[in-house]
Structures are given as C-alpha cells and as structure tokens.
Amino acid sequence: MLTLLATGQEGVARGSSTLYVGAFIAWTLVGMVKDVIRGHVGLDILALVAMIATLAVGEYLASLIIVLMLSGGEALEEYASRRAKRDLSALLDRSPRIAHVLVDPDSSDTDEVRDVPVGEVGVGDVLLIRPAEIIPVDGALLTDSASFDESSLTGESMPVTRASGEEVLSGAINGHRAVRIRALRRSEDSQYQQIVALVHAAEESRAPVVRLADRFAIPFTAVSLVLAGAAWALSGDSLRFAEVLVLATPCPLLIAAPVAFLGGLSRAAKAGVIIKGGAVIEQFARVRTAAFDKTGTLTQGRPELVDVRPATGFDADEVLRLAASAEQYSSHVLADGIRRSAEDRGLTLHAAGDAAEIATNGVAATIDGHAVVVGKPSYVARVAADTRRETLAPGQAAAYVAVDGRYAGALVLADDARPEAAAVVSWLRGHGVERIAMLTGDVRSTAESIAQQLGIDEVHAELLPPEKVGIASEMQPRPLMMIGDGVNDAPVLAASDIGIAMGAKGATAAGDAADVVILVDSLDRVTDAVAIGRHTMRVALASIWIGIGLSIALMIVAMTGLIPAVAGALVQELVDLATILYALRALKGRIS
C-alpha cells in the first residue's frame, strides 16, 4: 500500500484498500450476525461502524489501520495467552509416554527391560526408573531409598526422600540413582495423568470473558456513538464522526480480560492449584460462605488407633484383627488407621469370603466364617441391637464393630486438626466470608471438638451425602465454597458454587466433581486459590476500565478535531498494548 502511494498510484491504493477492508467488514458482519442469533450482543459493532465510517469519508488508510489493529490485537492476545499458559503447558509437555518394564523383576543381576507405552503398564508390573526420568505411573518403591523432585505436583522445591514400600507419585522426577517401583495403578488412574486431564479441562474451559466484556458492551457502544454523533452535529463535518469512532475500537475489552484470566489460571497451577476455568475465578471474587468437610480436610486424615474397647466376651486383639480384615475393603480414612495398627501389632489379616462397603456408613464382610460389620454406631446397631455409644475424648472418633450379630466393641482413633486449619478459617473470616460451617458424616461430639479448636461455630454432623447436598443448597449468602477430599464429598462439591477438592491423596471422584483441585496436601492452598482468584478479577476489571477510560478521554479530545483519523487509529493501538500489559499483572503481584 505504501509502495503504491509512493509511486503515485493513489487510485489503485484507494481501490485495493476499499476492497480489502470491505471484505474484512463482510467477514466481521457475518460473525456478528451469528453471535446475535445465539443471543450474544458484543463489541464488534463498534469496530464495524468505525471501518464503515472511515471508508465513507475517504480515510481508507485509517480503515486499514483499524483492520491491522484488530488482527494485530489477536496476535498480541495469542502471545500473551502463551505467556500466561506457560506453567499450564509445562505440565502437559512433561507428560511421560514410555515406561521401562523389567522382563525378570525377580533377578537382581540384570535389569533387562522392554519399553512399552505408558498406557500399557499394568498393576503389579515392576518398572525401572533411570536417573532424572519422570515416574510414569503411581508405584511403590522397591529400592531401599531414593530422592525425588515432586515440585510439579506439590510446589515443594526441595527434593523428598522416599523409603522402600512408600508410594511414589507419577510426575515426580527421579534423583541421581536408578530405582525400581511396582506399579500400583494404571496410567489413566495415576496422579500425574489425572492432573494432566484437569489441566486440559482448565485450558479448554471458556473463561467468562465474553460475559465480563459484554457487561460493558452496550453502555460503551452507546457512549461512543453519542460522542461521535455529537462531534458530527457540533462541527457539521462527517469526518469528525469517523475520527472519534476510530478511538472507540473494542480491543481493550476483548483482549485484556482473557489474558488476565489465563494469567490467573497459570499462577494458580504454579502454586499447586488447578482451577477449572475462568468462571470459577469470577465466583472466588464474590464468595461469601465456606463449608468444610472434617476428616482429611480440616484434620490430617491419618487417624491413629489409641484404644480398643472390646465388649464382654470378646478379645481386644481378635476384635482388631477381624475389623482390620474387613476394613481391607473400605476406602474410608479410618480404615487405613485400623489396618496400620493391626499390622503394627503383628496381627495377620485374612481375606473376606465376601465384602461390601456402604458409603459413609461402614463395611460388612465375612471373615473366617464370621459376619463382621464395622462402621458408624447407627449402622452397626442395625445388625447388633446391643450396640452402645462409647464416651470419647475431644478429637477422638470410633469405629464400632459387630461380629455375628453381636456388639463386639469399638476401636477409638484420634485424628488431629491440621496445624494450618485455624489460620485458614481466620483468614477467610477476615476477608469477607461471612458464614463458615462444617458438614461432616462424623459423630457430633468429635465434629464439635474439632470445630471448637478451629473457631468454627456452625456444625452439621452425622450427615449422609444427600443430606450434605441439601444443607449446602440452602446455605446463604451465596456464592458457597465447599472444601472436601473424599469420594463421599463428590455430590456436595458438584452442587456447590465452588467445589474445592483436596486432591493430593488421589481422591479421583472428588477431583472430577470439583471446580478446583488442590494438588498439595495443605489447606493453605485454599486461601491461595481465593486470593489468586480475587487478584485476577481485580486485574481483569482494572484493565477493562483502563481501556474504557483512555478510549473515552481520547474520544473527547478527538471531538475537537485535534486527533486525525489515522493518528487516532495508531494511538488506539497503544491503548491496546497498555491494557494487555496491565492484564499480565495477573501472573504476579501481591495477593492478600
């Protein structure tokens, strides 16, 4: 175009510019009509009117700059998006694809391996992990000890040491020595692949950018057209209409908000928190009620057996052995503590003839010909009418046991509150969360003891999953943020405005149902997630207001005729750049 003008071919330049801009207008118009049909009225009308107006008054160079601005804005958005998504993409790029399966795992003389796709690794396969390689699937360490970098999973920068028998999570990076692990889960069920799936969902989820920008679309369009129309009417010059409108193009509103949201998602991922889309960020900015599960969320989730209280006619070790044998078929957090205690006492656990778990109630199994039921007192009382509730100290919980229809006793466990839990509750209360409650399936005495330690004054105890959902659906004020960790929390997490899953221990169902998954076993990340969400929303809104403010100020100046159309189009490009740079503040800056 500049070449044509330089060689004196202004007519050709004008004609080719008009054809090109006309084609761009037609393409924009088609997209705008499709959006209107879908019920979406956006900001494209401003750019459309500006291009038509500049062509109509003969400012074809200004119309070309507007086209360049819109397409260039998309390029800037793509660059900023790549910058904002860098931490998310890093997870995907590191996803392991090959595993070294040992051909003869019982041999200590040779490490002959066959390389297979990660998806073909079966539970029980023994894998060789070479130095600096990524663990492909969750496994149990067979080597005596090893060091691993788990920073991509937990955010912890220091390497951690694992001993033989401990679980090693996929996605961790092996240290300086080759090690062996036995696969505990298939690839699709392993921690790292679940994280990757969550990241994919976060990347593909559409942030509420359109909704956020469209809140300003109609008012901004109306103000711009009024200013442009007033300039034309006061000056009597139609050129003034175009000069004002070139400064009203909507790039700041359309570009800055998505860049800010992607920056927030990236920052959260780097902190070990996967937020599934920008809609959650918008909810974080307004959250007014928080509800917590107890076991594994407010408490550490590793209860220790402190007492066995056998009923008359039963032996303490036998009650523990039968209960632990039955609890092999339970996923409840208390079950793990019971099994560990039995093994520590040297008791041999037997396989069940048949077993079934009733979620949140307990487990029933046939052990050595005995019908064993372990769980809540109300559940055990259904088969053993003589079941009695035990007196428990603050912070204790009990698993009740029935054998062959008789009450056999209770196993008393203690699960301490997380050391950071009280500070998290206090932070939320000090940052605009008006109502904080506990929703738990545990007995009331234990729940109230933990709640009192943490400063929670509203407790709903002994709840089944549907009852949790019912209470959560009625809680006010909204939005409601629910934090849980177990399979039984999945329904209430899905039903909440913001469902947060403590996913560090692999609670797959809860993670799938939640809007946010915390990959680090720390409740502190809840405050990080809320703070990042609110900071991101502030940045997104501020970047929009910066764009609007600068555009309106420049339009008012343009009404006087001091800014020619071509200069105005170039100045608007600088406004775009300023708003994008400000939106990138979502990647950093102080959060509180």
Side-chain angles (χ1 to χ4, degrees), residues 41-43 45-46 210 212-222 253:
V41 180
L43 290 154
I45 188 172
L46 273 178
V210 173
L212 189 61
D214 285 354
R215 293 176 192 171
F216 303 89
I218 294 177
F220 184 62
T221 300
L253 275 69

Side-chain angles (χ1 to χ4, degrees), residues 157-223:
S157 58
M158 297 297 293
V160 296
T161 300
R162 302 292 180 199
S164 178
E166 286 192 86
E167 184 172 348
V168 180
L169 297 177
S170 60
I173 301 174
N174 187 22
H176 62 277
R177 60 179 296 195
V179 300
R180 294 184 177 195
I181 67 168
R182 186 180 303 279
L184 296 176
R185 301 177 188 89
R186 295 183 59 82
S187 171
E188 60 267 26
D189 300 322
S190 292
Q191 176 83 350
Y192 194 76
Q193 294 304 323
Q194 291 175 30
I195 294 171
V196 168
L198 291 171
V199 171
H200 273 304
E203 281 194 312
E204 294 168 4
S205 174
R206 186 171 180 82
V209 171
V210 173
R211 292 204 309 270
L212 189 61
D214 285 354
R215 293 176 192 171
F216 303 89
I218 294 177
F220 184 62
T221 300
V223 169

